[in-house]
Amino acid sequence: MNDVVLIGAGISGLAAAWELRRRGIAPLILERTARAGGVILTERVGGFVIDGGPDSLLVQKPAAVELCRELGLGDRLMPTLPPRTAFVLKRGRLVPLPDASFLGLPTRVGPFVRSPLFSLGGKIRMATELLRARGVERDESIAHFIGRRFGREAVEYLAEPLLAGIHAGDVHQLSIHSLFPRLVALEQAHGSILRGLSATPTHTASTQGAFVSLPTGIAELPEALAKALGPDVFRYNTSVRQISGSGPYKLTLDTDQAIHARVVIVTVPAWSAAQMLASLDTPLAMRSADIPYASTATVAFGLGRDQIRHPLDGSGFVVPRRERQMLMAATWVSSKWPHRAPDGHVLLRAFVGGATDPAALHRNDDDLAELALGELSALLDITGEPSLVRVFRWVRATPQYTVGHAERVRVIEERLARFPGVFVTGSGYRGTGIPDCIADARATAAKAAALI
């Protein structure tokens, strides 16, 4: 009999196991693949350091940075390189995002007035946000919220490529309340986002930048966790088919073997959790299955610096849908972080797919790479062929917190309360980024530990 079994060795499963170990509990982690880390994956080849999924940790949410410090990685954290300028594609030209912004929204009027990113009418409409009435406290889409506060251009050139683009989602479907509750709180507290941002110094950008990473890629974090936990904690290439019982619980594997546990923590994507939980509680499984997911691909290119005429003086760019490109965004990795490419070379990453272009992933790797390189070449003036190409596919890996997500999670938690000792955590439920996943996983593990 196991005290605690965790299903999934992504960052949520690893963080939960770490918290359990800190509390004197020996967990068992079942992972269907041959490695830990989930969507956090770093390849190190030929002097290139290539993050296939996320490549950084948001400093403003401290859970990930704190975990790094606990693991002895604190001194290895490094900020992005200046100038940290982000660009937005508009009419075939890369336009810098105005300085003094928070999530792309203005914290000072001057830089936005001078920016060519918006028309005169768009700038006037954004400035009148100060005069707009406070909205009703109800869930709404990012597009509706930003549109009623700042106008159409702000939706098209800020909210859609930046706020929705972070989550590879549809700006007209994603929930502002679930994904950007701080903006909602600013409106409710100050009656205006602009007024709230100017009155809240915590929204001022740090001189060190908003993100940190690790010298040999962000996979240093799950690798350190797996090493600290030890190999005996893991059972790789092990898939759970169903969870049954009423405590202790029976986990039936795809091999028809069974594992029993007093407590089960499910950390896999919600659609996968739904399949496991169906035999335990049908409504619970249905609500988990209701959480949609998007598929994306990351395409990395290694090139000689002399093959690119663009100065690459920033972190990369985002692409509004109205620009009709396959690319959602691209980052100039070797301009963001040191030692990501050999001397005389650069590393670029392109992002495709998402909720608004699911057909992109129907293409094979060669076609994806060719199309992505073609669009990058036109924008950055690239000549010749890359020396390195890598395609990372993330199928049904990005949860979509659509309008009503909080209510779906409330029902899931209500149903779970009928089964003491069964918990869910991970990016599908209460936070999508690495810091949110770590914070929720550790909080969940603390609740689980109280039952042992």
Side-chain angles (χ1 to χ4, degrees), residues 32 237-242 251-257:
R32 67 176 182 83
N237 301 306
T238 302
S239 296
V240 176
R241 187 168 69 237
Q242 68 177 29
L251 283 66
T252 304
L253 309 182
D254 278 354
T255 59
D256 289 329
Q257 292 177 301

Side-chain angles (χ1 to χ4, degrees), residues 293-427:
Y293 277 71
S295 299
T296 62
T298 304
V299 189
F301 299 101
L303 294 138
R305 185 63 187 91
D306 57 2
Q307 292 180 256
I308 306 175
R309 293 189 63 183
H310 192 282
L312 303 179
D313 49 351
S315 57
F317 63 91
V318 295
V319 183
R321 288 177 64 190
R322 67 176 300 159
E323 295 296 315
R324 301 186 181 281
Q325 301 274 305
M326 182 184 74
L327 294 179
M328 294 190 296
T331 55
W332 307 330
V333 180
S334 44
S335 296
K336 287 178 64 179
W337 312 107
H339 314 304
R340 286 301 199 258
D343 289 344
H345 291 74
V346 298
L347 179 64
L348 310 178
R349 293 201 310 165
F351 304 93
V352 300
T356 59
D357 188 16
L361 269 73
H362 296 168
R363 300 179 174 93
N364 62 38
D365 285 1
D366 289 343
D367 287 346
L368 273 181
E370 181 180 355
L371 289 166
L373 182 61
E375 293 187 1
L376 285 173
S377 297
L379 295 170
L380 305 179
D381 200 356
I382 297 173
T383 58
E385 295 299 317
S387 60
L388 174 143
V389 179
R390 290 288 187 276
V391 178
F392 304 88
R393 291 175 179 266
W394 304 110
V395 178
R396 296 182 75 186
T398 307
Q400 301 295 289
Y401 286 15
T402 55
V403 174
H405 179 78
E407 176 60 18
R408 285 188 286 275
V409 173
R410 187 195 65 78
V411 173
I412 287 168
E413 291 173 341
E414 185 179 82
R415 300 300 303 187
L416 276 173
R418 301 165 182 247
F419 302 94
V422 178
F423 300 88
V424 296
T425 187
S427 63

Side-chain angles (χ1 to χ4, degrees), residues 142-177:
I142 295 173
H144 188 270
F145 180 87
I146 298 298
R148 68 178 175 78
R149 297 303 317 177
F150 294 98
R152 176 181 57 81
E153 286 189 40
V155 172
E156 293 179 345
Y157 286 101
L158 293 179
E160 192 275 322
L162 285 167
L163 302 189
I166 293 170
H167 303 281
D170 185 340
V171 72
H172 298 283
Q173 300 294 326
L174 294 179
S175 163
I176 190 76
H177 280 243

